[in-house]
Amino acid sequence: MKKLLLLAVILSVVSIDLWAQEKPKVAFDYELTSNTYFDNRENDGPSVPFTPSMTLFGQALTPMVGVSVSNSDITHRFMLGVDATFYFGSSQKPFGRLDKVLAYYRLDKKFSDGSRFRAVGGVFPKTFYEGDYTRAFVSDSSRFVSRNCQGLSFYYEREKFFAEMICNWCGMKEGESRERFQIWSAAQYDFFPWMSLGYAFSFDHLACSDLVSNVADNHLLRPYLAFDLSSLVPFQKLYADIGAYVAYQRNREYETLYIPTGVELNTEIRNWNVGVRNTLYVGNN
């Protein structure tokens, strides 16, 4: 974590030095993100142990304001906002649940070869995540409920390639709360406009609380091969990918280690903004 903070400071110092070569432009900046989530789950008793029958229906609003300072190839942004959620049918007042105050610094750098770099630090939306993190990494409902990251994000992109790394410090040892942090990483290279090779990785570390001494690790790696044939067919989207999962799950108190593996095939077809996505998974839980 200290190395990541040091890298962010160095990048800021370097960018400020380059900045002095050109008079910067200062401007008011703003963002407004709206997200609606509807999920109806009807399950047949204990045969589906992962989630009870329920309906999740909610709306999230994230207004943000700030200042951007930029020249021809570097932009600095300082943003402040709130993340509010309203669950339909709830007794709370509309958007009465203030989930988090967001505050972050963002650096965007463009290079002469056309590549670009982005660094974000603070409390920021997970919309900055660019990697293909499937539902094995995070469920649809978790994407809606846990929308923000507390930490650092680094992203690099050039022609046919991108890579990113995110550190999310999402838990502090405080009473019943356990210390927890996550490291996410992804990269992808496009061999052709219709074929890509990439990976997604998550490192999830769950440490102690004042009441629990156990430490658990849950890591997941997914290399994949993707085919996007949208430009070759008269559909809005025709897509398929095949990937393998390798997980590392360890309970340090009981010294138990589980390494589940599996293979997953995803297919999607869409036209006129209406589509069908299917997932076939063969392997361990």
Side-chain angles (χ1 to χ4, degrees):
M1 186 68 177
K2 292 181 179 179
K3 293 181 179 179
L4 294 176
L5 290 172
L6 178 61
L7 178 59
V9 172
I10 292 174
L11 289 169
S12 298
V13 172
V14 171
S15 63
I16 290 173
D17 181 62
L18 295 173
W19 210 17
Q21 302 175 14
E22 180 181 340
K23 185 177 180 181
K25 299 178 182 179
V26 181
F28 172 74
D29 206 346
Y30 66 93
E31 297 178 8
L32 177 60
T33 303
S34 177
N35 188 8
T36 303
Y37 182 72
F38 178 81
D39 186 357
N40 178 250
R41 306 176 181 182
E42 301 294 339
N43 299 318
D44 186 14
S47 62
V48 184
F50 302 108
T51 179
S53 297
M54 67 174 74
T55 299
L56 302 174
F57 195 11
Q59 175 78 29
L61 282 177
T62 310
M64 303 195 70
V65 296
V67 176
S68 67
V69 187
S70 62
N71 61 18
S72 59
D73 57 0
I74 298 176
T75 300
H76 302 263
R77 288 184 176 88
F78 303 87
M79 303 297 292
L80 179 66
V82 295
D83 187 22
T85 308
F86 175 61
Y87 291 100
F88 300 130
S90 172
S91 59
Q92 64 176 273
K93 296 179 180 179
F95 301 103
R97 177 177 170 178
L98 183 62
D99 293 310
K100 200 176 270 31
V101 174
L102 305 182
Y104 66 87
Y105 162 73
R106 172 179 173 179
L107 167 69
D108 290 277
K109 167 67 177 175
K110 297 179 181 179
F111 299 95
S112 58
D113 62 355
S115 62
R116 63 187 183 94
F117 173 79
R118 182 184 69 208
V120 184
V123 184
F124 53 89
K126 289 183 178 179
T127 51
F128 286 110
Y129 287 34
E130 303 285 354
D132 186 10
Y133 303 107
T134 63
R135 285 177 290 180
F137 290 88
V138 54
S139 67
D140 293 337
S141 56
S142 295
R143 291 179 195 272
F144 180 75
V145 174
S146 179
R147 297 184 298 275
N148 304 305
C149 175
Q150 304 172 75
L152 294 168
S153 169
F154 300 99
Y155 176 80
Y156 175 78
E157 180 184 46
R158 63 182 306 166
E159 185 180 7
K160 299 183 179 182
F161 174 79
F162 80 84
E164 73 174 352
M165 185 179 71
I166 303 117
C167 180
N168 182 16
W169 201 276
C170 46
M172 177 181 176
K173 183 179 179 182
E174 186 178 30
E176 298 182 2
S177 176
R178 302 176 67 171
E179 181 178 290
R180 182 184 181 187
F181 72 88
Q182 298 174 325
I183 296 176
W184 293 60
S185 177
Q188 180 175 295
Y189 181 80
D190 300 332
F191 290 99
F192 305 101
W194 50 270
M195 187 177 76
S196 305
L197 179 67
Y199 80 87
F201 172 74
S202 67
F203 180 102
D204 196 344
H205 179 76
L206 189 63
C208 307
S209 71
D210 292 339
L211 303 178
V212 178
S213 59
N214 183 28
V215 177
D217 299 300
N218 183 20
H219 316 320
L220 183 61
L221 173 65
R222 176 186 179 251
Y224 63 87
L225 183 64
F227 302 90
D228 190 346
L229 306 177
S230 305
S231 60
L232 306 177
V233 296
F235 300 115
Q236 185 179 4
K237 186 172 185 179
L238 181 61
Y239 174 88
D241 69 55
I242 184 167
Y245 288 105
V246 180
Y248 178 94
Q249 301 171 347
R250 180 188 177 194
N251 186 310
R252 300 190 189 182
E253 181 176 3
Y254 300 103
E255 288 300 327
T256 56
L257 176 62
Y258 185 43
I259 305 180
T261 58
V263 177
E264 182 181 76
L265 173 65
N266 295 297
T267 56
E268 182 177 357
I269 184 171
R270 183 192 308 163
N271 207 17
W272 304 300
N273 292 323
V274 178
V276 176
R277 181 179 177 88
N278 184 71
T279 298
L280 174 64
Y281 175 79
V282 179
N284 307 117
N285 286 333

